[in-house]
Amino acid sequence: MIVCGDDVLAHRLASELSEVYREQVTLVVPGATPSPQQPDAPRPGRAMALFGGVTAAVTRTASAHTGTAGAPPAGAPAAAEEARTPIRIVEAVAIDEDTLLRAGIDRAAALALVHDDDETNIRHALAARRLSPRLRLVIRLYNRKLGQHLENLLDQAAAVAEPGLDPSVLDAATTVLSDADTAAPALAATAVAGTSKVVQAGGLLLRAVDRPPPGRGQIADPGLCTLALLSATTNDPAGIEGSHSSGDLGPQLLPDDRAVAAATGRGTVALEAISHAGPNGNGAAARTGSAGFLPVASFFSRRLRWSLAGVVAAVAGIAVATWLTTGDHPLHAAYLTLLDIFAIGDPALEEQTSRQVLQILAGFTGLLVLPIIVAGLLEALGTFRSATSLRRPSRTLSGHVVLLGLGKVGTRVLARLRALDIPVVCVESDTEARGIALARRLRVPTVVGDVTEEGVLEAARIHRAHALLALTSVDITNLEAALAGRALRPDLRVALRLYDDDFATAVYRTLRAAHPEALTRSRSVSHLAAPAFAGAMMGRQILGAIPVERRVLLFAALDVAGHPLLEGRTVAEAFVPGTWRVIALETTAPPGRAGRGARQNGGDERGGDRSQPHLVWQLHPGYVLSPGDRVVVAATRRGLAELL
């Protein structure tokens, strides 16, 4: 396996392939350009990688003295301590065809291009496909539409270079992923629901929730299935999501029914809801009910709308009074009232006193109509003029999420939060940032300013916010914003994006110990994205990953045909506790198989068009997996490595 990159994701991906999948890995990193006139200056990516390495070393040193977070868990399998093939490092000033040949691209099974620049990855992908048509490519791209076109282009290039290639192999020849898209669901869910985990991929929405320990004599609701048992120190304010627990007290992934029943006082992670996403990708959370109606509220203020309603009520009251006092037809009475309001009716000199009084009241009401019309025109004009500018947070706004940073990750998280109808206030210092255009288009209130300056968080109404989501690219800025937010509101829910996962662990421990009553989460984008990239390099598209404390549970779709660990076995026999578990069956398999699985489960057999993928959950333990089946499995990293 060859990994080309210049940031922490490349290093973490190389470690993932080496330590979890036991593959021979070559890491290609850019080197510094020597210059006699100017001293060597490290690239920003290398500088951040060096910072992450130093932070990890400091954290491990501190953990060695305390005997906590950095120590390997007791009872860990001996395979984890086996000697591994060291990662080969190839350093080059410029990555070209000669560099790829020196890295062994002609002998490699897969190549991952994870540079932070899309253009660099595309250029290297075209060169790699020309050098090795059979090479499996995994490319990191932020532009999703461009990624779809690039996949087709590179697969067609492989077919042209070697016409005899199997089309089934070409389906997995090129995979384009985005670290921002991979990490965005977990980050958005952290801000909205705290400990909830969300995976959205391939038209599926998977949500996992943490359930508190059941009371005496109660049984925890397993949902569709129980994914994990939380550690014994989950509720300990000094713990870091269970890292102080080891062995039987540590988190247990994919437990069996007996382990769940015996784990009294332990929280669980259950698969709660699955739904198919719509064409816009918003799933069940897509907004409905507002389409096709004029957005009056966005044009006119609430005060103006109430004023207009008051005038309409006054006009209606005068019209009713005129009808009752004069005995005219209701329509004629309303007509006379409108003439009086607009001052175009004849004076009621010869009429009865009640009619004269009502005419005077109608005249006063008419005086109120003109300023309301002028105010409406001015507000509508101001709305159109400000349509291309950023909105300011409303003074009455509350229960919102304050999102810091509108870069690659922040933009993706903003889109997901708005798809869920979650109110958001953005804070960004750069008016040319990626997400500014999206915030303007979605009419999201945005504060332009440095979050470290006085008054910026206050302008974002942090004291009335539901959560703070710090997603800037600078760790210190995120940490400073979190501390400032906690100073303004001690019970604020905080989620931090931190560059290095070990540093995120240390920050989490400190904030949780200082504020045990508040919810704190620290997340590393590279930690959340690396498993998906590694799985794609192994030839399988991973549906997603759900973090369970400091571990990760992976979801993947596998074909049963020819698989010795799945084919011919029942669902119960294919379940290996703590390693992998079959959780769903895709009903696009040959007719008869999916229906029998659904009937054994006691559910209804899906009818209609089977060209659309459907999943059957909670399969009967006795259902036998056949070569025509395709299943969704939940697995640990090592379990998925064994399955692949």
Side-chain angles (χ1 to χ4, degrees):
M1 302 289 177
I2 301 176
V3 179
C4 297
D6 56 356
D7 59 4
V8 166
L9 178 60
H11 293 268
R12 183 173 293 279
L13 176 57
S15 300
E16 184 93 7
L17 292 170
S18 176
E19 298 176 5
V20 177
Y21 296 96
R22 304 299 178 86
E23 295 288 337
Q24 296 181 356
V25 181
T26 297
L27 178 61
V28 181
V29 296
T33 304
S35 176
Q37 291 83 9
Q38 184 177 4
D40 293 345
R43 293 170 58 91
R46 293 172 60 82
M48 291 302 293
L50 177 62
F51 167 74
V54 172
T55 304
V58 172
T59 305
R60 285 193 293 268
T61 303
S63 302
H65 289 290
T66 58
T68 55
E81 306 301 327
E82 294 179 359
R84 303 181 181 91
T85 304
I87 298 176
R88 178 189 172 209
I89 305 295
V90 175
E91 192 167 353
V93 174
I95 301 178
D96 50 16
E97 294 186 4
D98 293 337
T99 304
L100 294 176
L101 290 173
R102 186 154 52 96
I105 192 173
D106 54 334
R107 305 183 306 274
L111 168 66
L113 299 168
V114 292
H115 292 277
D116 195 36
D117 180 53
D118 286 3
E119 182 181 352
T120 301
N121 292 330
I122 294 174
R123 184 171 62 253
H124 295 164
L126 295 174
R129 177 59 75 216
R130 184 169 58 254
L131 294 173
S132 180
R134 291 180 175 270
L135 184 70
R136 185 181 303 118
L137 287 177
V138 178
I139 309 170
R140 173 187 181 183
L141 283 186
Y142 180 79
N143 191 326
R144 291 176 290 185
K145 183 178 293 185
L146 176 60
Q148 295 175 359
H149 296 307
L150 185 64
E151 284 185 351
N152 297 331
L153 175 63
L154 294 176
D155 286 347
Q156 291 173 3
V160 171
E162 293 194 20
L165 283 178
D166 187 358
S168 62
V169 177
L170 288 179
D171 290 341
T174 305
T175 303
V176 177
L177 297 175
S178 168
D179 56 331
D181 278 337
T182 305
L187 292 171
T190 301
V192 175
T195 56
S196 294
K197 293 92 178 177
V198 176
V199 173
Q200 185 173 354
L204 298 176
L205 179 63
L206 313 177
R207 296 194 302 174
V209 295
D210 293 357
R211 301 194 184 280
R216 182 174 300 179
Q218 297 179 347
I219 300 177
D221 183 8
L224 294 176
C225 68
T226 300
L227 297 177
L229 289 173
L230 298 177
S231 62
T233 61
T234 303
N235 298 323
D236 182 8
I240 52 169
E241 290 188 325
S243 65
H244 287 197
S245 295
S246 59
D248 295 336
L249 298 179
Q252 299 181 24
L253 302 183
L254 304 175
D256 55 15
D257 295 338
R258 289 186 298 178
V260 174
T264 57
R266 301 273 291 271
T268 60
V269 178
L271 197 62
E272 186 184 54
I274 297 93
S275 66
H276 287 272
N280 58 356
N282 294 340
R287 285 171 288 179
T288 58
S290 61
F293 293 94
L294 182 65
V296 178
S298 62
F299 284 96
F300 306 108
S301 65
R302 183 179 181 183
R303 181 180 301 176
L304 181 61
R305 297 196 303 269
W306 277 108
S307 300
L308 181 61
V311 171
V312 172
V315 172
I318 295 175
V320 171
T322 302
W323 167 48
L324 295 177
T325 56
T326 61
D328 291 341
H329 190 274
L331 293 179
H332 186 261
Y335 174 70
L336 292 177
T337 302
L338 292 177
L339 291 179
D340 294 336
I341 287 176
F342 293 110
I344 57 178
D346 295 332
L349 299 178
E350 305 298 334
E351 302 286 342
Q352 54 184 336
T353 305
S354 59
R355 172 75 179 93
Q356 295 175 345
V357 172
L358 290 175
Q359 189 178 54
I360 294 176
L361 292 178
F364 278 111
T365 304
L367 294 177
L368 301 177
V369 173
L370 181 60
I372 291 178
I373 293 176
V374 173
L377 292 175
L378 292 177
E379 285 197 1
L381 179 61
T383 301
F384 281 112
R385 292 184 61 183
S386 62
T388 58
S389 62
L390 295 172
R391 295 183 60 188
R392 299 287 297 177
S394 172
R395 294 182 179 180
T396 60
L397 183 63
S398 63
H400 57 285
V401 175
V402 177
L403 175 61
L404 308 183
L406 289 176
K408 291 182 177 181
V409 178
T411 303
R412 293 288 192 250
V413 175
L414 172 61
R416 289 185 177 273
L417 289 175
R418 290 307 301 135
L420 296 172
D421 269 335
I422 304 298
V424 184
V425 173
C426 300
V427 178
E428 175 58 56
S429 59
D430 183 11
T431 57
E432 302 298 327
R434 290 176 180 265
I436 290 294
L438 178 64
R440 183 182 295 111
R441 179 167 58 86
L442 297 179
R443 306 284 294 160
V444 176
T446 304
V447 177
V448 178
D450 190 351
V451 70
T452 60
E453 295 179 354
E454 195 74 24
V456 174
L457 283 178
E458 289 85 347
R461 307 292 185 264
I462 191 67
H463 59 286
R464 304 179 65 176
H466 169 71
L468 171 65
L469 194 55
L471 300 180
T472 70
S473 57
V474 182
D475 286 5
I476 301 302
T477 301
N478 294 335
L479 182 58
E480 184 175 355
L483 295 176
R486 279 284 166 79
L488 296 172
R489 183 173 178 180
D491 61 342
L492 180 68
R493 174 178 294 170
V494 173
L496 292 162
R497 171 197 174 188
L498 296 178
Y499 197 75
D500 183 80
D501 193 55
D502 291 327
F503 181 50
T505 300
V507 169
Y508 175 85
R509 183 198 303 123
T510 304
L511 290 179
R512 184 172 180 178
H515 302 276
E517 75 285 351
L519 182 63
T520 305
R521 290 292 180 265
S522 56
R523 294 288 180 255
S524 168
V525 174
S526 61
H527 176 79
L528 297 174
F533 280 82
M537 290 191 72
M538 298 303 297
R540 292 292 187 271
Q541 181 71 43
I542 291 184
L543 297 180
I546 287 180
V548 179
E549 298 184 357
R550 309 312 292 185
R551 302 179 66 183
V552 173
L553 194 62
L554 305 176
F555 293 83
L558 301 177
D559 292 320
V560 175
H563 206 300
L565 299 175
L566 299 175
E567 185 178 351
R569 302 189 179 211
T570 64
V571 172
E573 293 172 346
F575 175 33
V576 180
T579 306
W580 66 73
R581 177 177 184 174
V582 176
I583 61 174
L585 175 69
E586 189 174 297
T587 60
T588 51
R593 297 294 303 171
R596 183 158 58 91
R599 288 191 296 270
Q600 289 180 355
N601 180 36
D604 296 331
E605 183 175 356
R606 293 182 182 268
D609 183 13
R610 292 186 177 272
S611 61
Q612 297 295 328
H614 297 291
L615 295 179
V616 176
W617 302 90
Q618 295 176 312
L619 293 170
H620 190 277
Y623 175 72
V624 180
L625 302 175
S626 74
D629 288 335
R630 181 174 175 84
V631 296
V632 176
V633 299
T636 62
R637 296 185 182 187
R638 296 195 178 280
L640 185 61
E642 294 181 21
L643 285 174
L644 298 183

